[in-house]
């Protein structure tokens, strides 16, 4: 577009800050280098008033290279720009209007649109390539422009002769079109992780582009709705050793154990402790050799929360749950937890962070109660059958049946369903005693 | 009709009987899930912690992804009422989660030899595209640093 009138914009800026001193090291404003003529997406009614500025470039990613320069993505220009880290000058642009590169892939290396997460990638020691760039190419911004499937894009650029070519494209199993957000990560092992931003999905590929895993964390029918999103998705190594204690919920028969943030647990061990809860505040839960605790059972850790069935003949009334790693080494344990199965009908005691206690009603009906419900249902059905039988034997019921059978005229008469129901409603006052009988069960 | 409601009650009670596993495991190419019959927001609850975990529906899941590494993301959106950074294992199980409000760009970075969970959290509806803080969190300790943009 070509606009010569004045108006209001949201400027696109980035800052480099020293996180230890909070010192501002570098700052850059798009308005110093990008005019409205660089922009693909128009103001669409914005920009006439300071309360509604025009988000004219919309910077959405920043990367810094070893040379001290920056790679910035400007979504509404459909280009990424390389910024001199000293002067702030735009050294080159890739994509959009005024692209600096000759595209050797028939346009596929530079026809990015509404893109996110531009990152330099390590060199591949190829004399024809100075380096590579990964981009999440949304190819959609929602309504108002073509909405194409999103792709992960890995581009080789040569900054000597200013050429760009596609090295790899990464596609989901069926097309996902993400109108915003998104990420591309190349892992140390070469696998590529795509986060689909606006749509609740991520995918993992081999470096060559073979789809290894694709996970949706929302219904695909809901894609395009923005109901569930994640700005980016990454996959990383991590070790979690929380200083908190495991959390345990105890019912009359089961222990549920989880430990938010712990990654090293392989086995959960349930132990009975012979001393009572009064001593738990003095106890140091870090001791693995606890002469007073006796092994009850052990289960492998499974998922976030692991279920431990407590043997019904367990004599202990205080328990503790201990975590062991895959070498069998003790990690940590909860304090002593009160457990009185006789008094816990329908209740769950939750020991968050391995201590204290809060009681909750069980959110599910236990098996004996369900069985009882089945018996009640059978009884109710029998009563209904008896009741219908009784009604038929009344005068009203007989008249009803006669109407249906057409006995008086020796011919069949049509009975409308509504009329039949109305007649039954008229019987209600007589049934009240029966209803009271049913409810008392 | 009384017996209708009794049968409904019995059916409901059967559905809510405790199941064998504590976690709801990830689905694989579930059509029901894809069409929203497992809920518009498939989340799972736990008994020992008042947290919510994801239930992924894998379209593809080869052993090439079973590498013991961790997926880090930050679910948010109109239907996510407790947003925050989240870490899953390679089977989609919850490993860590904490509610920080609307969260962007959750990742794990090494800083001076220590791994930190890093993310932005704040209000993304004001001042253009939001106002908030960058966090570096080591779950073993208190948050290390929160950095706010400089006004210049």
């Amino acid at each position: 577009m070509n606009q010569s009138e004045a108006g209001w914009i949201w400027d696109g800026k980035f800052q480099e800050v020293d996180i230890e001193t909070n010192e501002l090291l570098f700052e850059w404003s798009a308005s110093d280098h990008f005019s409205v003529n660089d922009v693909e997406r128009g103001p669409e009614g914005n920009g006439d008033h300071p309360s509604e500025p025009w988000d004219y470039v919309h910077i959405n990613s920043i990367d810094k290279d070893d040379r001290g320069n920056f790679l910035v993505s400007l979504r509404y220009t459909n280009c990424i720009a390389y910024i001199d880290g000293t002067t702030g000058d735009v050294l080159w642009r890739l994509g959009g209007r005024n692209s600096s590169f000759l595209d050797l892939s028939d346009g596929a290396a530079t026809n990015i649109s509404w893109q996110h997460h531009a990152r330099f990638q390590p060199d591949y020691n190829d004399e024809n390539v100075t380096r590579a760039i990964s981009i999440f190419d949304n190819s959609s911004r929602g309504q108002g422009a073509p909405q194409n499937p999103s792709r992960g894009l890995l581009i080789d650029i040569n900054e000597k002769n200013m050429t760009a070519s596609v090295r790899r494209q990464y596609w989901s199993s069926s097309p996902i079109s993400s109108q915003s957000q998104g990420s591309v990560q190349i892992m140390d092992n070469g696998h590529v992780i795509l986060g689909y931003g606006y749509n609740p999905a991520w995918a993992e590929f081999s470096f060559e582009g073979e789809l290894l895993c694709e996970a949706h964390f929302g219904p695909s029918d809901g894609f395009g709705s923005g109901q569930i999103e994640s700005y980016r998705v990454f996959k990383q190594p991590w070790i979690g050793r929380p200083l908190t204690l495991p959390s345990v919920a105890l019912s009359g028969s089961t222990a549920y154990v989880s430990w938010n943030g712990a990654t090293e647990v392989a086995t959960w061990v349930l132990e009975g402790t012979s001393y009572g809860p009064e001593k738990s505040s003095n106890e140091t839960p870090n001791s693995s050799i606890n002469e007073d605790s006796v092994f009850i059972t052990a289960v492998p850790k499974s998922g976030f929360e692991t279920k431990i069935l407590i043997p019904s003949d367990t004599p202990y009334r205080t328990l503790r749950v201990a975590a062991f790693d895959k070498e069998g080494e003790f990690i940590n344990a909860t304090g002593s937890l009160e457990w009185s199965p006789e008094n816990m009908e329908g209740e769950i005691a939750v020991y968050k962070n391995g201590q204290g206690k809060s009681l909750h009603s069980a959110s599910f009906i236990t098996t004996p109660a369900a069985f009882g419900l089945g018996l009640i249902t059978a009884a109710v059905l029998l009563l209904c059958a008896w009741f219908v039988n009784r009604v038929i034997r009344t005068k009203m019921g007989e008249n009803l049946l006669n109407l249906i059978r057409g006995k008086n005229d020796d011919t069949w008469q049509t009975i409308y369903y509504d009329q039949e129901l109305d007649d039954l409603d008229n019987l209600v006052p007589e049934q009240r005693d029966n209803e009271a009988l049913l409810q008392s069960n | 009709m009384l017996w209708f409601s009794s049968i409904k009650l019995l059916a409901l009670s059967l559905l809510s009987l405790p199941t064998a596993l504590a976690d709801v495991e990830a689905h694989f190419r579930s059509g029901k899930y894809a069409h929203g019959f497992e809920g518009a927001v498939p989340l799972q609850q736990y008994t020992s912690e008042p947290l919510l975990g994801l239930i992924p529906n894998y379209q593809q899941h080869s052993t090439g992804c079973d590498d013991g590494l961790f997926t880090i993301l930050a679910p948010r959106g109109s239907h996510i009422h407790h947003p925050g950074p989240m870490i899953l294992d390679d089977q989609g199980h919850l490993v860590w989660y904490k509610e920080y409000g609307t969260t962007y760009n959750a990742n794990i970075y090494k800083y001076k030899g220590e791994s930190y969970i890093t993310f932005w959290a704040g209000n993304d509806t004001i001042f253009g595209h939001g106002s908030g803080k960058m966090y570096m969190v080591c779950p073993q300790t208190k948050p290390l640093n929160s950095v706010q943009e400089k006004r210049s």
Side-chain angles (χ1 to χ4, degrees):
Chain A
M1 89 224 11
N2 293 295
Q3 255 178 250
S4 49
E5 318 100 57
W8 299 91
I9 57 163
W10 283 116
D11 199 356
K13 297 172 84 141
F14 69 82
Q15 297 178 324
E16 184 180 5
V17 176
D18 184 325
I19 62 169
E20 291 199 0
T21 65
N22 254 358
E23 182 196 347
L24 179 65
L25 301 174
F26 183 81
E27 188 172 55
W28 184 84
S29 292
S31 57
D32 293 333
H33 305 277
F34 282 80
S35 79
V36 297
N37 295 326
D38 293 313
V39 172
E40 293 286 351
R41 183 177 187 182
E44 293 166 16
N46 296 308
D48 297 326
H49 197 269
S51 64
E52 284 166 341
W54 175 23
D55 181 17
Y56 89 119
V57 288
H58 192 103
I59 292 181
N60 58 18
S61 79
I62 185 70
D63 193 15
K64 189 175 183 184
D65 66 13
D66 295 336
R67 307 170 201 171
N69 300 324
F70 299 94
L71 183 66
V72 61
S73 167
L74 304 102
R75 170 172 156 92
Y76 292 145
T77 70
N78 289 349
C79 94
I80 61 177
Y82 187 49
I83 309 299
D84 186 299
T86 311
T87 63
D89 291 339
V90 177
L91 298 174
W92 51 250
R93 305 171 188 209
L94 186 145
R97 308 174 177 194
N98 310 310
S99 181
S100 316
F101 289 88
L102 174 66
D103 191 325
L104 302 179
S105 301
D106 293 327
T110 57
N111 62 358
I112 55 178
S113 57
W114 327 116
Q115 75 287 338
H116 275 79
H117 201 222
R119 288 284 185 269
F120 284 121
Q121 297 298 337
D123 296 346
Y124 303 108
N125 295 318
D126 182 334
E127 60 180 21
N128 293 320
V129 176
T130 52
R131 51 188 162 173
I133 296 173
S134 62
I135 304 174
F136 185 81
D137 182 18
N138 297 64
S139 298
S140 165
R141 63 168 175 85
Q143 299 218 346
Q147 299 182 60
N148 295 317
S150 306
R151 61 176 171 164
L153 183 59
L154 186 61
I155 310 167
D156 289 336
I157 61 170
N158 185 322
E159 288 156 287
K160 297 192 201 90
N161 53 24
M162 296 309 289
T163 58
S165 59
V166 173
R167 181 181 282 264
R168 280 292 183 277
Q169 297 179 86
Y170 299 92
W171 301 99
S172 50
S173 58
S174 41
I176 299 178
S177 183
S178 289
Q179 67 187 53
S180 72
Q181 308 161 71
S183 57
V184 179
Q185 174 202 4
I186 302 186
M187 298 166 62
D188 287 345
N189 64 5
H191 286 191
V192 177
I193 305 289
L194 255 56
Y196 284 88
Y198 195 69
N199 293 314
W202 76 81
E204 180 169 348
F205 302 83
S206 71
F207 185 71
E208 290 71 30
E210 180 196 349
L211 178 65
L212 300 173
C213 281
E214 180 179 324
H216 299 175
F217 52 103
S220 49
D221 277 8
F223 284 2
S225 68
Q227 292 173 354
I228 309 172
E229 324 168 52
S230 177
Y231 188 67
R232 293 176 180 163
V233 179
F234 297 100
K235 200 174 187 194
Q236 305 284 11
W238 189 52
I239 297 178
R241 296 202 176 96
L243 293 183
T244 56
L245 299 178
S247 291
V248 177
L250 296 175
S251 76
S253 60
T254 310
Y256 302 84
V257 57
S258 66
W259 201 1
N260 195 13
T263 60
E264 303 308 289
V265 183
T267 309
W268 291 111
V269 174
L270 180 69
E271 298 171 335
T273 57
S274 58
Y275 41 81
E278 320 82 57
K279 285 201 183 179
S280 61
S281 55
N282 298 328
E283 171 200 337
T284 46
N286 293 323
S287 58
S288 61
I289 314 291
N290 189 332
E291 302 94 41
D292 293 333
S293 71
V294 179
F295 176 92
I296 297 175
T297 184
V299 298
K301 169 186 165 293
S302 162
F304 180 75
E305 180 172 81
T306 305
K307 204 162 134 164
I308 310 174
L309 294 175
I310 309 174
S312 52
D313 56 357
T314 300
Y316 300 98
R317 289 301 173 260
T318 54
L319 306 172
R320 115 186 161 134
V321 180
F324 289 81
D325 68 15
K326 63 178 190 284
E327 264 90 45
E329 296 291 322
F330 174 80
I331 303 175
N332 210 337
T334 66
S336 270
L337 316 172
E338 278 177 25
W339 182 62
S340 42
E342 313 80 24
N343 306 326
M344 292 186 74
E345 194 54 47
E347 274 182 343
I348 294 185
V350 181
Y351 296 88
K352 191 161 151 57
N353 195 18
Q355 51 214 359
K357 178 163 96 168
S358 59
L359 285 175
H360 303 261
S361 331
S363 59
F364 49 82
I365 305 171
T366 59
T367 313
F371 188 58
L373 270 170
L375 282 176
I376 289 170
T377 309
V380 164
L381 280 169
L382 280 170
L383 271 163
C384 286
W386 167 84
F387 164 68
V388 168
N389 197 34
R390 237 201 94 198
V391 163
I392 286 177
R393 293 191 194 291
T394 63
K395 192 83 169 126
M396 271 278 202
E398 244 190 85
N399 288 342
L400 202 62
L401 282 175
N402 288 339
L403 278 173
I404 293 169
R405 292 186 201 131
K407 242 186 185 165
N408 294 337
D409 299 326
D410 272 342
T411 59
W412 290 100
Q413 281 187 2
T414 307
I415 299 290
Y416 291 106
Y417 194 58
D418 290 342
Q419 183 182 351
E420 187 180 350
L421 281 179
D422 287 341
D423 289 327
L424 278 176
D425 278 344
N426 294 333
L427 297 174
V428 166
E430 293 180 17
Q431 305 160 32
R432 287 224 176 100
D433 291 338
N434 298 325
E435 275 188 31
L437 186 67
L438 291 171
Q439 274 166 9
S440 67
N441 271 335
Chain B
M1 296 249 240
L2 203 60
W3 63 275
F4 259 127
S5 41
S6 304
I7 288 205
K8 253 201 292 191
L9 193 58
L10 177 64
L12 274 170
S13 69
L14 284 172
L15 281 172
S16 49
L17 285 173
T19 51
L21 298 165
D23 275 24
V24 176
E25 294 297 319
H27 294 32
F28 184 77
R29 293 188 191 159
S30 162
K32 278 177 62 181
Y33 182 116
H35 297 309
F37 292 113
E38 305 277 331
V41 190
L43 295 173
Q44 58 177 301
Q45 294 181 307
Y46 307 99
T47 313
S48 54
E49 278 278 3
L51 306 176
L52 294 170
L54 299 181
I55 306 174
N57 184 23
Y58 285 99
Q59 304 302 297
Q60 191 92 350
H61 198 162
S62 81
T63 54
C65 308
D66 296 342
D67 50 13
L69 301 182
F70 297 90
T71 301
I72 175 157
L73 67 163
R76 48 172 261 276
S78 61
H79 281 36
I80 299 291
H81 304 301
H82 302 281
M86 183 181 276
I87 296 179
L88 312 175
D89 69 15
D90 60 17
Q91 304 304 308
H93 301 123
L94 180 68
V95 172
W96 178 79
Y97 160 76
K98 188 162 176 184
E99 183 172 2
Y100 272 91
T102 300
T103 300
Y104 282 66
N105 199 18
N107 203 347
I108 292 170
Y109 276 103
K110 261 197 149 66
Y111 177 70
K112 296 192 169 176
E114 293 280 343
S115 282
Y116 292 90
I117 299 167
T118 64
F119 52 93
W120 179 98
N123 184 341
D124 67 346
T125 64
I126 56 175
F127 299 134
H129 282 282
S131 177
K133 298 180 187 176
M134 288 298 303
Y135 289 82
M136 290 173 66
V137 172
C138 199
Q140 291 104 284
T141 65
K142 296 190 292 257
L144 176 72
N145 251 331
S146 65
V147 181
Q148 265 179 304
E149 53 156 305
K150 312 286 300 175
R151 306 252 178 250
S152 55

